[in-house]
């Protein structure tokens, strides 16, 4: 009896000590920015910080825009906030953004992502996740694969798949029942699978979402609170995370893609098969000893995962806004038809990529709906901001791209879709005039596949706009978009439904 009482007392003491330690830790996180003398968002919750409802009710773009406007109203160059119990810094001032992403890149070159090499061998090899010298070397190796000359060689494959897309739309008895976010994802899945993985998965024609390839792709990209917690915990406590074998992605997902790539590589090398795609370029690097099979698999996996959802998001919102804005759609169609008259109706890389008004339409869509709504970096040293404070080493710094693109100071009437904002100017020139425009990032860690992504988007749009006239299905699609909370990219919560008329 005495032993039982002692055991109960010890258990209670352990529980009380554990609870007290947890409460102390959470309160120290809650007052982190106050102790460092940096202005922060008001009244962070003990558990949720300043992001209550994230993933469950609100997309990150919505929450970051709220924080951005608060700090803007307070005339701050940056402001601290808590992602649950993890302190972060939201950068507001455009000059400070330029310093962090470009001028002082050496102090902010890493993203601070966690990926266990044992659980997630592919995630740890992607350019997105690699840090330091490993990132620098891989970027040097892989960068030449994305040169315009190499992207150009993949144009026939993209054009063929775009024609399949148009044929599929034309075959529908009730095209108004098509959900366009889903259809655009199937199109980009076909393109990315063919060009990045060297396989034909025929997703456009196959509407069944349970197909293994598409299921694995979805599981690799889906957003969840567990994933966010793993990322932050793994970065802050890497050794503990490695010991616990925390997985960012489900191991079965990465093993599926790893085995798929290994078998594809073996098949090509055994039969000496050559295709005009991204995988072939990496195989040539393997032959010269610059990459091994796992690194090739990691880059192909990264190219596919980072491209199919983002490109589908851009295409979906392009069609959505063109359906709402008939004059813009008609002007775009007229420019496409005029260009096709000079090529006897045939698409070419130069013709598609030189369509000036199409470029304006795509840029304005990227402004309003940047697929990746924020950028993030980690400070490798304590970083001083004049008359503001010092960013502590290891702090995650966030750049709210969506919020910046919707700031009326930079873009008057930001909720109005107006491609004329980009008339007579290139993206690079638009950046140099001081107006933030960062749909593909900024600085040396910008999106390496931007040229290819723009090509697959523009080819698909040209084929559809030349063949069909679109209008908004007002009974099934709201006039104003609400973003799906559980999505890593900007995606409409209730889908997009359009009325389609063949031309």
């Amino acid at each position: 009896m005495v032993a039982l009482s002692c055991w109960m007392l010890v258990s209670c003491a352990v529980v009380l000590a554990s609870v007290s330690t947890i409460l102390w830790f959470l309160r120290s996180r809650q007052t982190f920015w106050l102790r460092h003398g940096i202005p922060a968002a008001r009244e962070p919750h003990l558990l949720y910080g300043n992001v209550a409802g994230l993933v469950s009710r609100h997309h990150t773009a919505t929450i970051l825009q709220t924080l951005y406007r608060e700090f803007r109203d307070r005339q701050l160059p940056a402001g601290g906030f808590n992602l649950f119990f993890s302190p972060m810094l939201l950068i507001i001032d455009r000059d400070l953004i330029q310093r962090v992403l470009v001028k002082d890149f050496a102090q902010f070159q890493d993203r601070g992502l966690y990926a266990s090499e044992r659980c997630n061998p592919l995630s740890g090899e992607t350019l997105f996740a690699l840090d330091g010298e490993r990132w620098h070397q891989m970027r040097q190796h892989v960068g030449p694969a994305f040169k315009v000359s190499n992207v150009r060689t993949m144009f026939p494959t993209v054009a063929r798949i775009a024609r399949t897309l148009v044929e599929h739309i034309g075959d529908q008895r009730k095209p108004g029942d098509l959900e366009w976010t889903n259809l655009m994802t199937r199109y980009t899945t076909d393109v990315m699978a063919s060009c990045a993985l060297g396989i034909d998965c025929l997703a456009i024609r196959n509407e069944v979402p349970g197909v293994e390839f598409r299921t694995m792709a979805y599981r690799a990209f889906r957003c969840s609170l567990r994933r966010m917690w793993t990322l932050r915990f793994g970065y802050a406590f890497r050794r503990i995370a490695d010991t616990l074998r925390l997985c960012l992605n489900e191991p079965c997902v990465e093993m599926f893609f790893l085995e798929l790539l290994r078998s594809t590589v073996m098949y090509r090398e055994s039969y000496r098969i050559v295709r005009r795609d991204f995988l072939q370029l990496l195989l040539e690097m393997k032959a010269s000893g610059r990459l091994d099979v796992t690194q090739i698999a990691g880059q192909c996996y990264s190219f596919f995962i980072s491209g199919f959802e983002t490109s589908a998001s851009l295409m979906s919102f392009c069609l959505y806004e063109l359906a709402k804005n008939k004059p813009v759609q008609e002007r775009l169609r007229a420019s496409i038809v005029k260009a096709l008259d000079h090529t006897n109706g045939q698409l070419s890389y130069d013709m598609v990529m030189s369509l000036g008004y199409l470029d304006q339409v795509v840029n304005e869509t990227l402004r309003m709906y940047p697929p990746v709504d924020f950028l993030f970096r980690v400070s490798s040293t304590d970083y001083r901001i004049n008359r503001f404070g010092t960013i502590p080493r290891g702090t995650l710094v966030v750049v709210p791209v969506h919020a910046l693109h919707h700031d009326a100071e930079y873009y008057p009437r930001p909720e109005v879709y107006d491609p004329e904002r980009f008339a007579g100017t290139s993206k690079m020139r638009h950046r140099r005039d001081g107006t933030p425009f960062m749909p593909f990032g900024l600085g040396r860690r910008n999106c390496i596949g931007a040229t290819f992504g723009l090509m697959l988007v523009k080819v698909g749009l040209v084929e559809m706009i030349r063949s069909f006239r679109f209008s908004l299905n007002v009974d099934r699609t709201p006039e104003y978009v609400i973003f799906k909370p559980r999505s890593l990219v900007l995606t409409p919560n209730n889908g997009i439904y359009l009325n389609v008329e063949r031309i």
Side-chain angles (χ1 to χ4, degrees):
M1 191 71 177
V2 173
L4 180 62
S5 299
C6 290
W7 180 85
M8 291 180 65
L9 285 172
V10 171
S11 298
C12 289
V14 170
V15 170
L16 286 173
S18 300
V19 171
S20 299
T21 301
I22 292 171
L23 286 174
W24 172 83
F25 174 77
L26 292 175
R27 289 201 174 100
S28 70
R29 299 284 88 182
Q30 195 177 30
T31 59
F32 178 88
W33 294 113
L34 178 65
R35 288 184 284 110
H36 283 83
I38 293 178
R42 299 181 178 94
E43 301 178 358
H45 188 275
L46 195 63
L47 291 176
Y48 304 122
N50 303 105
V51 297
L54 180 65
V55 177
S56 61
R57 298 194 310 275
H58 306 299
H59 192 274
T60 52
T62 305
I63 288 177
L64 292 181
Q65 188 164 31
T66 300
L67 291 168
Y68 177 88
R69 286 171 176 168
E70 176 190 334
F71 296 146
R72 262 297 215 174
D73 291 342
R74 292 164 62 182
Q75 298 182 332
L76 298 175
F81 73 101
N82 281 21
L83 176 66
F84 304 111
F85 58 78
S86 184
M88 298 186 179
L89 190 76
L90 192 73
I91 305 183
I92 305 302
D93 181 72
R94 59 187 176 185
D95 292 332
L96 180 56
I97 291 171
Q98 188 77 14
R99 282 172 55 190
V100 166
L101 297 181
V102 182
K103 182 180 177 181
D104 296 329
F105 174 78
Q107 288 100 315
F108 294 93
Q109 68 172 316
D110 297 339
R111 290 195 172 100
L113 293 175
Y114 170 77
S116 168
E117 293 184 3
R118 287 183 293 181
C119 295
N120 300 129
L122 293 188
S123 294
E125 291 293 340
T126 64
L127 274 175
F128 195 79
L130 285 174
D131 287 340
E133 186 58 27
R134 290 183 65 198
W135 167 82
H136 181 71
Q137 290 180 358
M138 186 61 73
R139 178 89 180 202
Q140 283 187 321
H141 288 325
V142 179
F146 293 94
K147 293 189 301 183
V148 172
S149 58
N150 289 327
V151 171
R152 186 189 296 268
T153 65
M154 302 181 209
F155 179 84
T157 299
V158 178
R160 171 179 56 81
I161 296 172
R163 287 193 294 272
T164 301
L165 171 65
V166 170
E167 291 169 4
H168 177 70
I169 297 169
D171 290 342
Q172 302 302 302
R173 291 184 179 180
K174 296 181 178 180
D177 289 340
L178 287 172
E179 199 287 294
W180 287 83
T181 304
N182 175 275
L183 181 58
M184 293 302 97
T185 301
R186 281 151 49 196
Y187 163 71
T188 57
T189 297
D190 274 352
V191 172
M192 300 302 294
S194 182
C195 293
L197 309 179
I199 63 172
D200 296 318
C201 61
L202 307 176
I204 290 174
R205 295 288 187 183
N206 191 345
E207 298 184 36
V208 180
V211 175
E212 186 178 21
F213 185 89
R214 290 187 59 213
T215 300
M216 290 299 181
Y218 168 76
R219 287 165 68 175
F221 208 79
R222 66 184 172 187
C223 180
S224 67
L225 284 176
R226 183 200 66 80
R227 199 169 194 177
M228 288 190 175
W229 280 89
T230 301
L231 280 170
R232 297 308 301 139
F233 184 87
Y235 172 72
F237 309 102
R238 189 173 293 270
R239 290 185 179 179
I240 298 176
D242 285 340
T243 302
L244 295 174
R245 296 196 175 189
L246 292 182
C247 298
L248 177 62
N249 292 322
E250 300 169 78
C252 64
V253 173
E254 294 205 4
M255 285 307 300
F256 170 81
F257 283 101
L258 182 58
E259 292 304 319
L260 176 65
L261 263 299
R262 281 176 175 168
S263 61
T264 304
V265 169
M266 184 179 298
Y267 176 76
R268 286 202 188 184
E269 290 182 333
S270 299
Y271 292 94
R272 297 181 181 180
I273 294 173
V274 176
R275 289 182 54 169
R276 293 183 294 182
D277 57 19
F278 179 63
L279 176 57
Q280 184 63 40
L281 298 170
L282 296 183
L283 287 175
E284 292 169 7
M285 296 179 193
K286 176 177 177 291
S288 64
R290 285 177 286 173
L291 298 176
D292 60 31
V293 173
T294 302
Q295 289 173 324
I296 288 175
Q299 297 315 308
C300 288
Y301 172 79
S302 173
F303 185 41
F304 173 80
I305 294 300
S306 61
F308 87 102
E309 283 277 11
T310 52
S311 300
S313 170
L314 173 55
M315 292 185 73
S316 302
F317 284 120
C318 260
L319 290 174
Y320 171 76
E321 288 296 340
L322 289 172
K324 287 172 58 179
N325 297 272
K326 295 292 183 64
V328 174
Q329 183 182 159
E330 293 303 323
R331 180 177 172 184
L332 176 59
R333 182 174 294 108
S335 69
I336 291 171
V337 170
K338 182 178 179 180
L340 288 169
D341 287 341
H342 295 288
T343 61
N344 294 320
Q346 299 300 309
L347 266 62
S348 68
Y349 179 86
D350 290 329
M351 186 275 285
V352 171
M353 300 305 284
S354 63
L355 286 168
Y357 195 64
L358 175 60
D359 199 52
Q360 291 177 227
V361 166
V362 169
N363 285 340
E364 177 65 352
T365 308
L366 285 169
R367 181 196 68 80
M368 288 190 71
Y369 309 101
V372 179
D373 62 285
F374 66 94
L375 310 173
F376 56 97
R377 301 287 188 272
V378 169
S379 57
S380 59
T381 61
D382 290 346
Y383 186 79
R384 178 70 184 174
I385 304 176
N386 294 337
R387 299 189 303 276
F388 178 72
T390 300
I391 302 175
R393 175 183 178 182
T395 300
L396 192 70
V397 175
V398 179
V399 178
V401 175
H402 178 268
L404 287 160
H405 286 189
H406 286 257
D407 190 327
E409 180 180 332
Y410 305 130
Y411 297 98
R413 302 174 69 202
E415 304 308 320
V416 174
Y417 187 77
D418 182 14
E420 288 303 306
R421 299 180 201 272
F422 293 89
T425 181
S426 69
K427 294 188 287 298
M428 292 305 296
R429 226 180 285 146
H430 210 69
R431 288 174 182 167
R432 281 199 290 267
D433 74 3
T435 302
F437 184 67
M438 299 174 285
F440 299 109
L442 190 62
R444 293 170 61 187
R445 288 204 78 146
N446 64 343
C447 177
I448 195 172
T451 300
F452 179 84
L454 287 173
M455 179 187 72
L456 81 89
V457 166
K458 290 181 177 182
V459 171
L461 289 173
V462 167
E463 284 285 17
M464 287 188 290
I465 296 300
R466 73 188 288 199
S467 304
F468 306 102
R469 185 170 284 108
F470 299 94
S471 60
L472 195 65
N473 186 331
V474 294
D475 294 329
R476 304 182 69 177
T477 304
E479 187 177 354
Y480 299 101
V481 172
I482 297 175
F483 300 129
K484 182 184 293 185
R486 289 182 178 272
S487 176
L488 291 176
V489 301
L490 291 188
T491 306
N493 195 35
N494 298 312
I496 294 174
Y497 294 88
L498 306 174
N499 299 318
V500 183
E501 177 189 349
R502 182 182 284 278
I503 296 175

